[in-house]
Amino acid sequence: MTLADGVGTEAVRYETTDSGVAVITLNRPDRLNSWGADISAGVYASFDRAEADPAVRAIVLTGSGRGFCAGAHMGAMATLGDSISSDTDVSKIVGERHPYFLTRLRKPVIAAINGACVGIGLTHALMCDVRFAAAGAKFATAFPRRGLIGEYGITWILPRLAGWGASADLLLSGRTFYAEEAAQLGLVKEVVAPEDLITRALEYAEDLARNCSPASMAVIKRQLYGDAHDDVLDVSARAETLMHESMVRPDLIEGITAFFEKRPPNFPPLEQL
């Protein structure tokens, strides 16, 4: 679980492990990693790099210091001041990609939520595939308390994770809640001690990297988010086609052989599907 020397932008660190996990760290701890143009540019470049690297099989997203991402950078909002209008280019604040781009990646993304996870930070965390949180980490949608609305797909993903009633509460109230409640609602997989968070998230990601077929995970991600819109008959029919495709890939033979030989699988890198 050794991390290579960090590279990337000043606002976002990019590191890799020798087992095929990329770790992307928001690195503006002085402002609790609040989302701004510097972070968005570094995040997009880092995820593009991880997607393009055949050695990377899973990705961990986390923050430095006491925050994961405490919402939009209010300093950037303040500079707009009275100029905010219906013609304001919101991409200058939030970046050019909406958070759902995380669901379109072919590789699994695990969020390690180390602290404050608010607003657009929460939306990004929910668009990750699996979430771990440090005990006591604070969460909030916050939108109605800032005069905003449910942004960039949070009204799509939150009900799918927490259910309709809980989502209505969290979105309409904008109240603060903690990692322990987030786990009860199904928003995070596990709550762990803050000092163990990265170790646990890496442990999970490295298990995926070592033991799961990259091709299978890529297709399953596509199924998870694409099938949410469709009728079960269409989903089942499409799955049958995908199953036939998976049965002619070398991953199947390797997975079965490794099982019977009682050894870790040696799946090939992810290719274009």
Side-chain angles (χ1 to χ4, degrees), residues 85-122:
S85 71
S86 59
D87 297 324
T88 298
D89 183 359
V90 180
S91 69
K92 292 180 179 178
I93 304 170
V94 301
E96 297 177 352
R97 300 186 202 178
H98 292 188
Y100 76 82
F101 87 90
L102 295 170
T103 71
R104 300 293 178 88
L105 300 176
R106 298 180 300 158
K107 300 175 182 181
V109 183
I110 294 89
I113 302 168
N114 54 300
C117 184
V118 179
I120 197 168
L122 176 59

Side-chain angles (χ1 to χ4, degrees), residues 109-204:
V109 183
I110 294 89
I113 302 168
N114 54 300
C117 184
V118 179
I120 197 168
L122 176 59
T123 305
H124 277 91
L126 297 181
M127 293 295 182
C128 295
D129 303 305
V130 180
R131 287 155 295 281
F132 293 84
K138 293 182 179 181
F139 294 72
T141 65
F143 306 125
R145 297 180 183 239
R146 304 291 182 269
L148 296 170
I149 52 85
E151 64 182 9
Y152 302 113
I154 194 171
T155 52
W156 180 86
I157 191 67
L158 186 57
R160 284 167 168 77
L161 296 172
W164 195 271
S167 298
D169 162 39
L170 299 178
L171 286 165
L172 291 172
S173 72
R175 66 180 177 84
T176 297
F177 59 105
Y178 293 85
E180 292 72 17
E181 182 179 356
Q184 292 174 354
L185 294 173
L187 299 182
V188 301
K189 171 178 163 50
E190 291 177 23
V191 177
V192 299
E195 63 271 20
D196 298 330
L197 177 66
I198 290 298
T199 298
R200 178 67 184 106
L202 278 172
E203 179 183 65
Y204 182 89

Side-chain angles (χ1 to χ4, degrees), residues 31-50:
R31 64 180 204 231
L32 296 179
N33 302 313
S34 55
W35 192 267
D38 54 348
I39 282 183
S40 64
V43 163
Y44 302 151
S46 295
F47 274 107
D48 287 347
R49 178 175 182 171

